Amino acid sequence: MESSRLGNALFVVYLLFYVGFVGLSAFIPQVMEWRPWNGLNLAVLYGFGLILLAFFMAALYGYLRERKGSSNTP
């Protein structure tokens, strides 16, 4: 997969998660007040999830780019 296509695909995936976060915060804020784990509300957990997702996707992008680059060398 070409690097720009890969980057665009990962961007769209992240954008969908981010739009979900903003949509819940803007239109159904009571859902974000829910405390599903250890007293932390969904807004905090979702926010940390977005940060972790960004790191994971960056690592995945780097790994896939490296793998593609190393397969092109003789």
Side-chain angles (χ1 to χ4, degrees), residues 23-67:
L24 284 173
S25 297
F27 300 111
I28 317 172
Q30 19 333 348
V31 171
M32 296 301 249
E33 294 172 3
W34 176 50
R35 297 183 185 276
W37 184 72
N38 208 20
L40 295 174
N41 64 18
L42 186 60
V44 170
L45 295 173
Y46 202 148
F48 277 118
L50 285 171
I51 293 167
L52 293 175
L53 180 62
F55 281 117
F56 171 76
M57 292 176 96
L60 177 64
Y61 178 80
Y63 170 76
L64 292 175
R65 286 294 300 142
E66 180 67 28
R67 195 174 109 194

